[in-house]
Amino acid sequence: MQATELQYVIDTFFLIFSAVLIIFMAPGFSMLEAGLVRTKNVTAVLTGNVLLYAVCSFVFLLWGYNLMFGGSGFFLNGVEVTGYSAYAFFFFQMAFVSKTVSIMSGGVSERIKIVPFMSFAILMSGFIYPLVGNWIWAGGFLSDVHDLAGSTVIHSVGGWALLAAILVLGARKGKYTKDGKIRPIPASNIPLVTLGGLLLWIGWFGFNGGSAFNISTKDAADLVGLIILNTNTAGLAGAIVATLIVYFQYKKLDITMILNGALGGLVAITAGADVVGLWEPIVIGAIGGALVVYAVPFFDKFKIDDPVGALSVHLVNGIWGTIAVALFADFSLLAQLKGIVVVGLFTFTISLIIFVVIKKAIGLRSDEEHEYEGLDLEECGVEAYPEFVKSKV
Amino acid sequence: MQATELQYVIDTFFLIFSAVLIIFMAPGFSMLEAGLVRTKNVTAVLTGNVLLYAVCSFVFLLWGYNLMFGGSGFFLNGVEVTGYSAYAFFFFQMAFVSKTVSIMSGGVSERIKIVPFMSFAILMSGFIYPLVGNWIWAGGFLSDVHDLAGSTVIHSVGGWALLAAILVLGARKGKYTKDGKIRPIPASNIPLVTLGGLLLWIGWFGFNGGSAFNISTKDAADLVGLIILNTNTAGLAGAIVATLIVYFQYKKLDITMILNGALGGLVAITAGADVVGLWEPIVIGAIGGALVVYAVPFFDKFKIDDPVGALSVHLVNGIWGTIAVALFADFSLLAQLKGIVVVGLFTFTISLIIFVVIKKAIGLRSDEEHEYEGLDLEECGVEAYPEFVKSKV
Amino acid sequence: MQATELQYVIDTFFLIFSAVLIIFMAPGFSMLEAGLVRTKNVTAVLTGNVLLYAVCSFVFLLWGYNLMFGGSGFFLNGVEVTGYSAYAFFFFQMAFVSKTVSIMSGGVSERIKIVPFMSFAILMSGFIYPLVGNWIWAGGFLSDVHDLAGSTVIHSVGGWALLAAILVLGARKGKYTKDGKIRPIPASNIPLVTLGGLLLWIGWFGFNGGSAFNISTKDAADLVGLIILNTNTAGLAGAIVATLIVYFQYKKLDITMILNGALGGLVAITAGADVVGLWEPIVIGAIGGALVVYAVPFFDKFKIDDPVGALSVHLVNGIWGTIAVALFADFSLLAQLKGIVVVGLFTFTISLIIFVVIKKAIGLRSDEEHEYEGLDLEECGVEAYPEFVKSKV
Amino acid sequence: MKKIEAIIKPFKLEDVKDALTALEITGMTVTEVKGYGRQQGHSELYRGAEYVVDFLPKVKIDIIVNDENVDKAVKAIVDSAKTGKIGDGKIFISSVEKVVRIRTSEEDEEAI
Amino acid sequence: MKKIEAIIKPFKLEDVKDALTALEITGMTVTEVKGYGRQQGHSELYRGAEYVVDFLPKVKIDIIVNDENVDKAVKAIVDSAKTGKIGDGKIFISSVEKVVRIRTSEEDEEAI
Amino acid sequence: MKKIEAIIKPFKLEDVKDALTALEITGMTVTEVKGYGRQQGHSELYRGAEYVVDFLPKVKIDIIVNDENVDKAVKAIVDSAKTGKIGDGKIFISSVEKVVRIRTSEEDEEAI
Ligand SMILES: Nc1ncnc2c1ncn2[C@@H]1O[C@H](COP(=O)(O)OP(=O)(O)O)[C@@H](O)[C@H]1O
Ligand SMILES: Nc1ncnc2c1ncn2[C@@H]1O[C@H](COP(=O)(O)OP(=O)(O)O)[C@@H](O)[C@H]1O
Ligand SMILES: Nc1ncnc2c1ncn2[C@@H]1O[C@H](COP(=O)(O)OP(=O)(O)O)[C@@H](O)[C@H]1O
């Protein structure tokens, strides 16, 4: 047996391992978002998350992957893969796609109807994301953008589409009072938020680590080690900085902000974890964490109502992370900026159009009354915690 | 060093990886079932699940494995394993065994006493499952049945035993009214249901992927990639079809049914994920999802009370998956049917006998009063969420 | 390509895999502790856990690792690593460090202020743990102690520091009544406890398995297989014995004790999983489980208030596990005892001093009033489940 | 008009509701409460130690009825909620001076 | 002194509180309840089968006020809680004989 | 017979129960409520922004007693629930016309 065959085997195994870690982000997002919204909307958010995984992965299997990697026809046809199993490569890529939409699902929660949102999800995973992915990752015209695991391709894309969605949707009833004040709507279940945040963090090791695509030489193994270590470091720094900023302001330790800070750091390092040394991720992640803390009130100021802080985490830090590559490593700032702007313009515009069309065609937002009662009843017919009297038969 | 030694290493590593994924099904089943039952029975269900893992794995270590793989004496003695570590192989096999009984624990929940159930679990993991496993997987007289990871060996076996258990146990008080109507008893905690469902889904990658047993050649790696991809595809299809059927009937998106549909698809592909191409799992999983949706009311019609839908997911789709192998790949339908019938007859009959004996000997079902109060108090003395006044000292 | 390069790759991959499993212990500890404390302290406990991971890992990255493995300066400088990626080795070691403090966080919960606790965490992960780790694992003066994955280095160290912390802190208000009786304060959320317990169990496979450090020869692969199998076996035995003891006393199945029993067994096997056969872990784990059951009331008798049973699980079984190595394998009892005593004296004394100093300097314990109201409001400003009226806008 | 407050065992709620509905008393408000009385609390376990839980789960039903309906309502509740075992609960009756239906501002008998 | 018990739709709680505060009625006690009345329950799904949930979430507000404040308090509640749709809720008024403030042992009007 | 409704701080529940039990008043029904009053709400954080929570957790105890027991019960509650800090709560006393024990159909004094 040739060493190359063993390399093939090891890299295939490594891709599977990474993909499985990424799929842990499905419960991760689900729990994070279920914990952050109000009880009356928990089932709707969970249903959205599970359906997203199902629908986006399915669309990607049918044609999205093919479109992204220049295949022909459907399924995996005509996409050339060497060095590891084509199935494993597809599986890894598929694990990515639903994340792009999961990013959005918290931000539009508590007021969006699930079916129209799923319609967008089909277009996102079948066209928008594969196109952007193609431009940057599959030899397209933005190939000179360095974006290891998708600060732009995944996080900014999800973030821009979310921004469009929120603009079309509007804020939740009662979020901004008539006299223009902001009414915080607290998270309903902190253990779920924490569980979700930590599962996302763990999933990120597969996200970024797996994006090295191979581990089967000494150099590759070192690179994967570096990537995973750097990923973690940026998360640490984001969490710590978010902690400190809030603490110095309020003398309190705000767990939802700490976790958002960590996620901000993780998004920020996603573009360049492979091209920086050990201390840069500290700076990149720290700035990421700080950006989250300041972006949350910023968006609120403009009455852009994002229940879970997804714009602050994914859009702002997706941009920051892509820029950081040029600041901390030897890449062209211009290229990075071009990537950010082109992808941003494209994704935002097309998403805006799609959401406006969906709104006109089938409606996007829940009735006011259903919003008051919670989407769970209208959309799902299932309450998250339905029991009134615990011991009722 | 020989390449074969590295292969040995890689396959051992792969088995460990797969086994660990399978063990994630322990929290998976625990959370799923804890979310589906009423609050007053949550601790009992969780206790059952944890004990199942402990007891079944222990029995399997002591003698079950030995019985299944034709060893001699106890522990791993005399079971010949080549190509990977015997310990890893055992560990992988052990991860399977408690699943067979976990399948049942939701279906008998809210009325079964834990100790008699554990007595059955010992017999199941020590005799019934090892025997069936031996017939199909270890060179026994059903070796011509193709059942990759246990549509029959695991899921049908668990399903048949569950059917026997439910027939002996009877329905929960209040499930069917005096005038013969069905009273739905809703799930108490949807986030736990979702978490559990997704963890099971992830565990399935280890379940089916690991059942290839080796990954250390190019062909093997491709096969593992294919299996995992197909497994996921069937889950997607099951979820989507279940979604659509319920949606067209009620205009609602029913998350418990969506997850059950996904699990149905996953069970259905378990027998043949390795012998079909990329589109067949869509059909197999879709039918699996549809079967779940129609099987749930079917069992209810016959007053077979299955609180979590385990029969519909595991028994019905265990059978369907085993048949599907012959329909979609080049295997003998006769052999597959023979496997289904022989295993079904054997498991159902012996389980029925055991449950009747247990019932006579030590009782199987909780007192009516304890059932009203919930099993948690009587069986465990621990309420799942005991606090009345949150801030009470 | 040389076989050694592939070995390097495989071992690096294996370390990453193991480290990721260990990091699952972060949600594991978080959920376990969040479930065991009262609702009013859940956010504080979760915040503590997340911060611990962030702070301890960060300190370890900056200088702790360097100190432990005899490097020079900061970061990974000067630590020599051969046979696998230095990054992966660091990542694996880093995954360990926050566990040492996580062990403590449940025991001091419901009354400790987070900021002073984090101060201790910095000293623990920056000095105490690296020193002890150096003595036993990095060629220091206790190198003849056999401690595979840290019955002493991790669990006892965490346990001794916790004991010091509890002595300085005192018991929770209302835990012991004026007339000297013990008032049990039940767990608030059993599903979270179960989820946490099972995630810890799974994490342990990485903890102990990864501590073999390589898997890339046949012998190494067998050893890893054995370790993981033995780890699991001890957990099973601990769970079963704890079940039986409580059952024979009260005729109830106490899930919190069953899980604690399992964890006790897992701690006990951590020192010697690599040097015993298949049946010894049954005995070691069983004794571990029994020790937990008897240690819990023992500590209560002395009014040492440990809300989650961490002393019984980690300290008592850390000691037992270290001794067990000498009883069941060919190691010097004297060396093991020396390790236990030296590490115990050092850790306890220095922790006691640090906690007394912290107490004087910035205070350690929450005000009585805040303790009544719950730490969540004062420390975090965030309630775990804040909703009063579920459907309130 | 009278207010009937009935404290019952939780699993009897459905039966009581049905019994009242049969009398065409179709308005009621239900609260989850904990009761302390002669019925002994049960013992629970926590990490291997037993302790007694004094307060038991009960359900309180508030029904405002016209004076002429009081007796039959009480009878219906007693009949449907009784198990004969200790802890079945109590019924308290008191006077209500005025009732207003928020939707229509109707008052008293019309508002019930 | 009178006790006003108002059963309202949960999402109106904030509005009612504001309306009462505007009257300088700044003491109240709120309970989460379930209501059964003319308002039809909604149907829910469970594993592919529909069923009707009879009891709907409501909020009960208890306010003890001096006799002279009753009418304006009731008016404030009606105005702020009304949506005009069925299920808006009811207000019940009854007599209170004595009030004690625990902190100061003040009684009656002074204690409100 | 009188109904005593006492709204207290949650952590005083055990003490109040003990004080009442000492008077051989061994029946009571407890409800989890939220209170709004002079006691200022606390501020909480949410994703880096502060806001005030108005409604504070309280516990309501309902006790039906014979007329002669009212004063000592009230005294017991006041003594055991007082912390002296604002927000200690209130006691409201009203008349009850009839009491029925469901299990035995006993009435009034015998039913308490
Ligand atoms: N004096 C009382 N005041 C208020 N509630 C009471 C009183 N006595 C009993 N209750 C309520 O009635 C319930 C049942 O009372 P209990 O004495 O246990 O049994 P029984 O109903 O058979 O007399 C108690 O749990 C409590 O909620
Ligand atoms: N007779 C009654 N006694 C106690 N509560 C009642 C009564 N009638 C109605 N309620 C309460 O008022 C709520 C609203 O009543 P409903 O008949 O649904 O509509 P509406 O308020 O428009 O008359 C009910 O959900 C219930 O909580
Ligand atoms: N007028 C009232 N009607 C009903 N409940 C009241 C009233 N005033 C106060 N309360 C209840 O009593 C509690 C304590 O009252 P508060 O004014 O805060 O302090 P204090 O008890 O010291 O006067 C409140 O939280 C509320 O539950």
Side-chain angles (χ1 to χ4, degrees), chain D residues 2 5 7-8 31-38 54-55 60 71 74 78 81-82 84-95, chain F residues 3 13-14 17 21 25-32 60 62 64 94-106 110-112:
Chain D
K2 301 290 177 197
E5 284 178 271
I7 292 149
I8 60 167
T31 313
E32 184 172 8
V33 298
K34 293 265 163 166
Y36 179 73
R38 296 186 193 183
D54 295 319
F55 290 100
K60 189 174 79 144
D71 289 345
V74 168
V78 169
K82 188 186 303 203
K85 297 217 189 93
I86 210 159
D88 273 354
K90 307 252 156 106
I91 302 174
F92 307 123
I93 297 154
S94 53
S95 237
Chain F
K3 177 187 194 183
L13 175 60
E14 208 82 354
K17 189 201 74 184
T21 314
I25 297 176
T26 54
M28 66 191 81
T29 301
V30 181
T31 314
E32 183 170 9
K60 188 174 79 144
D62 286 2
I64 277 61
S94 53
S95 238
V96 170
E97 295 177 0
K98 195 171 152 186
V99 176
V100 181
R101 165 172 286 129
I102 291 174
R103 174 168 46 96
T104 57
S105 300
E106 286 164 296
E110 284 169 10
I112 294 187

Side-chain angles (χ1 to χ4, degrees), chain A residues 146-151 208 226-227 230-231 266-277 280-281 284 321-322 324-326 328-329 331 336:
Chain A
H146 183 82
D147 188 9
L148 170 66
S151 282
N208 291 6
L226 178 70
I227 290 173
N230 283 348
T231 299
L266 289 165
V267 172
I269 200 65
T270 293
D274 56 335
V275 292
V276 293
E280 292 91 340
I284 295 174
T322 310
V325 169
F328 292 94
F331 287 90
Q336 299 296 98

Side-chain angles (χ1 to χ4, degrees), chain B residues 179-227:
Chain B
D179 49 327
K181 288 220 202 81
I182 298 160
R183 251 198 44 230
I185 299 178
S188 61
N189 192 317
I190 298 297
L192 293 186
V193 174
T194 310
L195 176 62
L198 293 174
L199 289 180
L200 286 177
W201 195 325
I202 291 172
W204 234 286
F205 300 134
F207 217 90
N208 290 6
S211 292
F213 293 114
N214 71 73
I215 192 176
S216 64
T217 63
K218 188 169 179 311
D219 289 348
D222 284 338
L223 184 64
V224 169
L226 177 70
I227 289 173

Side-chain angles (χ1 to χ4, degrees), chain D residues 27-29 62-64 101 103 112, chain E residues 7 35-39 58 86-90 92:
Chain D
M28 67 191 82
T29 301
D62 285 2
I63 322 155
I64 277 61
R101 165 172 287 130
R103 173 167 47 94
I112 291 187
Chain E
I7 291 149
Y36 179 74
R38 298 188 191 181
Q39 182 187 8
K58 301 280 169 190
I86 210 160
D88 273 353
K90 308 251 155 105
F92 307 123

